[in-house]
Amino acid sequence: GLGFNIVGGTDQQYIYNDNGIYVSRIKKDGAAYLDGRLQEGDKILAVNGRNLKDLRHKDAVELFRNAGSNVSLKIQRRLQPQNGPVGHQGDGESGGLPLAAVLVPGLALAVAAVWILLRYRQRM
């Protein structure tokens, strides 16, 4: 196969009010993983020029199975992380900076500024 799983379709909407086909998982060492351009959460708009709009899930799967060895995908990159399994890291991490990495230096700067201000006032 192409090395990724899909979700969605007219009969299995993944996102409310959206019949689109989305990449749910990219298999390690599969073709999509090795290529590196496709990402989990991407919406697939077309396969080899064939529009995926308003297809049932099983019809979209069949298109991918019959796509051949040279496959062209038209995708829409996910703008924001979705709730649910798309983009889920699975290791408890959000994928961004931990809150402490932002708060601790900011708090340290605020304490230093107050200390300098108090020392400066005592000298006046």
Side-chain angles (χ1 to χ4, degrees), residues 16-31:
Y16 178 74
N17 232 5
D18 183 349
N19 293 330
I21 303 295
Y22 291 85
V23 177
S24 63
R25 180 172 165 252
I26 296 179
K27 299 173 186 174
K28 298 280 186 210
D29 299 325

Side-chain angles (χ1 to χ4, degrees), residues 8-51:
T10 58
D11 56 336
Q12 298 180 21
Q13 286 186 347
Y14 180 67
I15 295 177
Y16 178 74
N17 232 5
D18 183 349
N19 293 330
I21 303 295
Y22 291 85
V23 177
S24 63
R25 180 172 165 252
I26 296 179
K27 299 173 186 174
K28 298 280 186 210
D29 299 325
Y33 178 84
L34 295 172
D35 178 78
R37 291 180 282 181
L38 195 63
Q39 297 178 12
E40 291 179 359
D42 286 348
K43 183 176 185 178
I44 303 175
L45 305 175
V47 178
N48 293 337
R50 172 90 197 285
N51 192 331

Side-chain angles (χ1 to χ4, degrees), residues 8 17 26 29 34 50 53 62-64 70-71 75 78 84-85 87 90 98 102 108 121 124:
N17 232 5
I26 296 179
D29 299 325
L34 295 172
R50 172 90 197 285
K53 186 176 180 178
E62 200 58 33
L63 267 178
F64 284 106
N70 225 355
V71 179
I75 65 161
R78 172 187 65 205
V102 176
R121 282 187 159 182
M124 291 186 97

